[in-house]
């Protein structure tokens, strides 16, 4: 009946708290009661807090040490409250709950399914890492934010149903949750995801549609997820970090966003895109391994403003037939078009021959390749050391 006196209530019922295995609590509890459950009940395996209310907690506590200030809200699970509680395998949440703070169940022994109750709006970082989940994850419709690594490396075996109201998914939130399966539908209100948010979710399949509210795709966000459908980007995306969509199985044409400015390396490495495509005008370089191992056919036009095509950018894009290089291009780096076996035409708009680094076109049949250059620069290309290996250089 009084918060902070759980141990007194157990003693009044003539129980030895060190021997209690299964417990249901009613009434009001606070941080002191959580410490009793975590630190003074070594055999506690099943805990039911369905009918409790939590009194506001002012600090995260673990082992008697204060970590950082907590918001003094009622009906919030305090940070670290069951951290490393390996004996705890079953837990029922309070019916009235607003937030699950960081590392609440980090390193606990929870197993089976996890049902987060309606009313929860935020799940803190590392809240459920290092548990033994094997069942279904159910998230509430009220959820707005999931912080970094909240479910990292959890073993849930179910589709991942994200509530439409989620606005932020933290870095590595579902990292290596390899038993999640099925289509991933990103919430229409999603504004931010962190790096490696879905990295290694190898059971995810089908198409992936990026919602219009999401304009920045960070590094490794969807790396190695094994999607085999189409990737739908929208024109409002301004940045895609390195490896963001790498090592998947996306197919179909790739339409890059018109507003794209930042474009990291290896973004689309290891996919199966086909068809021709245009690179947005705002880009100033083509990053390393950007389109490596893609199945593009037809032509690729590099926009004006690009000064460098970095190493291995189009390597092993074996179906690419023609590339159009801009007038300001200065450098084609090592392996940029390595093993582009179907490449037959290079159209160079620059009047100054770009530098072609060693092995940039290794694996390309140069005897079958035609290089088209401005008429005024024909002799410069033919006498350039960088272009000396090309047998057929003609004026446009």
């Amino acid at each position: 009946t009084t918060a902070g006196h759980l141990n007194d209530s157990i003693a009044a019922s003539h129980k030895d708290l060190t021997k209690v295995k299964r417990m249901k609590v009613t009434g009001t509890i606070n941080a002191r009661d959580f410490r009793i459950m975590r630190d003074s009940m070594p055999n506690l395996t099943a805990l039911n807090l369905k009918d409790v209310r939590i009194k506001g907690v002012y600090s995260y506590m673990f082992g008697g040490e204060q970590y950082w200030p907590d918001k003094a809200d009622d009906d919030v699970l305090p940070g670290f409250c069951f951290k490393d509680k390996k004996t705890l395998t079953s837990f029922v949440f309070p019916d009235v709950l607003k937030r699950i703070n960081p590392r609440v169940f980090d390193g606990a022994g929870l197993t089976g399914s996890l049902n987060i109750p309606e009313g929860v709006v935020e799940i803190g970082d590392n809240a459920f890492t290092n548990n033994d989940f094997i069942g279904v994850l159910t998230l509430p419709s009220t959820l707005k934010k999931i912080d970094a690594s909240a479910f990292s490396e959890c073993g849930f075996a179910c589709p991942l149903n994200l509530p439409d109201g989620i606005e932020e998914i933290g870095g590595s939130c579902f990292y290596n949750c390899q038993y999640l399966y099925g289509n991933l539908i990103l919430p229409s209100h999603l504004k931010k995801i962190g790096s490696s948010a879905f990295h290694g979710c190898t059971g995810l399949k089908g198409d992936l549609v990026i919602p219009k509210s999401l304009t920045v795709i960070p590094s490794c966000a969807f790396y190695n997820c094994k999607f085999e459908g189409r990737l739908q980007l929208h024109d409002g995306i301004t940045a895609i970090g390195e490896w963001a969509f790498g090592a998947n199985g996306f197919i179909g044409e790739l339409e890059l966003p018109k507003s794209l400015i930042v474009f990291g390396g290896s973004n689309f490495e290891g996919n199966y895109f086909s068809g021709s495509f245009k690179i947005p005008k705002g880009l100033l370089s083509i990053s390393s391994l950007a389109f490596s191992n893609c199945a593009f056919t037809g032509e690729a036009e590099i926009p004006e403003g690009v000064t460098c095509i970095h190493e291995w950018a189009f390597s092993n894009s074996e179906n690419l037939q023609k590339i159009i290089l801009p007038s300001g291009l200065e450098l084609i780096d090592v392996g940029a078009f390595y093993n582009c076996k179907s490449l037959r035409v290079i159209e160079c708009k620059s009047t100054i021959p770009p530098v072609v680094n060693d092995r940039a076109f290794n694996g390309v049949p140069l005897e079958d390749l035609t290089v088209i250059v401005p008429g005024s620069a024909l002799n410069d290309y033919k006498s350039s050391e960088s272009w000396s290996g090309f047998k057929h250089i003609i004026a446009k």
Side-chain angles (χ1 to χ4, degrees):
T1 58
T2 305
H5 291 271
L6 175 64
N7 56 332
D8 297 331
S9 298
I10 294 173
S13 65
H14 307 291
K15 301 290 185 183
D16 181 349
L17 61 83
T18 65
K19 296 181 179 180
V20 173
K21 294 182 178 180
R22 293 172 294 278
M23 181 169 69
K24 179 178 180 179
V25 184
T26 61
T28 305
I29 61 176
N30 62 14
R32 181 181 178 187
D33 299 316
F34 280 109
R35 283 196 290 272
I36 290 295
M37 289 184 281
R38 185 192 63 200
D39 299 334
S40 301
M41 302 182 72
N43 290 300
L44 185 64
T45 61
L47 178 60
N48 186 336
L49 299 184
K50 176 179 172 62
D51 297 321
V52 304
R53 299 296 296 270
I54 302 171
K55 192 168 179 62
V57 180
Y58 284 88
S59 61
Y60 292 106
M61 301 294 293
F62 181 64
E65 297 295 326
Q66 180 169 322
Y67 276 68
W68 56 81
D70 183 14
K71 300 174 184 177
D73 293 339
D74 291 337
D75 301 312
V76 171
L77 279 174
F80 298 87
C81 65
F82 294 108
K83 178 175 169 57
D84 295 329
K85 185 73 173 174
K86 290 294 184 184
T87 60
L88 187 63
T89 60
S90 175
F91 183 83
V92 178
F93 289 91
D95 280 344
V96 181
L97 189 64
K98 299 176 183 176
R99 192 172 70 246
I100 300 171
N101 275 345
R103 298 186 181 273
V104 169
F105 298 98
D106 180 12
L110 297 182
T111 187
S113 296
L114 179 65
N115 186 3
I116 309 293
E118 288 293 318
V120 172
V121 297
E122 182 177 346
I123 298 174
D125 63 80
N126 293 279
F128 296 97
T129 54
N130 301 307
N131 283 267
D132 298 317
F133 297 112
I134 56 174
V136 174
L137 171 63
T138 304
L139 300 173
S141 64
T142 51
L143 193 61
K144 298 292 184 183
K145 181 180 180 181
I146 312 176
D147 288 324
S149 300
F151 299 102
S152 177
E153 300 196 81
C154 286
F156 297 112
C158 63
L160 178 57
N161 296 317
L162 297 172
D164 196 52
I166 292 180
E167 297 177 354
E168 183 173 343
I169 296 175
S172 299
C173 182
F174 295 97
Y175 174 79
N176 206 30
C177 290
Q178 56 187 306
Y179 301 110
L180 294 172
Y181 60 84
N183 294 332
L184 176 64
I185 300 176
L186 295 176
S188 62
H189 296 90
L190 187 62
K191 298 177 181 178
K192 182 180 179 181
I193 61 174
S195 299
S196 297
F198 298 94
H199 183 162
C201 292
T202 54
L204 298 179
K205 305 294 182 183
D207 299 337
L208 179 63
V209 179
I210 304 300
K212 294 188 180 299
S213 54
L214 187 62
T215 58
V216 175
I217 313 297
S219 60
C220 295
F222 301 96
Y223 178 73
N224 195 28
C225 285
K226 306 305 180 187
F227 293 104
E228 84 280 37
R230 296 177 181 271
L231 173 62
Q232 296 183 40
L233 307 174
H234 61 85
D235 285 335
I237 295 173
T238 58
I240 301 177
E242 61 183 4
W243 294 103
F245 299 102
N248 279 284
F250 288 115
I251 61 172
E253 291 195 352
L254 175 65
E255 295 187 18
L256 291 177
K258 294 179 181 179
S259 301
L260 193 62
I261 299 173
V262 178
F263 189 65
S266 304
N267 271 314
F268 299 108
E269 187 272 337
N271 286 282
Y272 304 102
F273 295 113
S274 59
S276 59
F277 69 106
K278 290 187 177 181
I279 298 170
K281 295 180 179 179
L283 287 183
L284 299 181
S285 68
I286 307 299
S287 302
S288 303
L289 293 164
F291 303 103
S292 177
N293 294 297
C294 289
F296 293 115
T297 58
E299 67 181 45
E301 181 173 358
I302 313 300
E304 294 296 331
V306 171
T307 59
C308 177
I309 300 175
H310 286 282
E311 60 269 19
W312 314 104
F314 291 90
S315 59
N316 293 308
S317 294
E318 297 185 0
N319 298 318
L320 191 62
Q321 298 165 341
K322 178 181 179 179
I323 55 172
I324 302 173
L325 304 177
S327 60
L329 188 67
E330 300 173 0
L331 174 65
I332 302 174
D333 215 338
V334 175
F337 294 96
Y338 170 79
N339 207 32
C340 292
K341 297 179 179 180
S342 298
L343 190 60
R344 293 296 180 268
V345 178
I346 302 175
E347 182 177 337
C348 300
K349 296 182 180 180
S350 177
T351 56
I352 301 175
V355 174
V356 179
N357 273 354
D358 186 38
R359 304 194 309 273
F361 289 91
N362 273 21
V364 177
L366 299 185
E367 65 277 5
D368 298 325
L369 184 65
T370 299
V371 180
I372 304 172
V373 303
S376 61
L378 180 60
N379 291 332
D380 291 333
Y381 275 87
K382 287 187 173 182
S383 61
S384 169
E385 183 177 351
S386 287
W387 295 85
S388 60
F390 295 85
K391 308 302 181 184
H392 307 290
I393 302 177
I394 63 174
K396 185 172 182 178

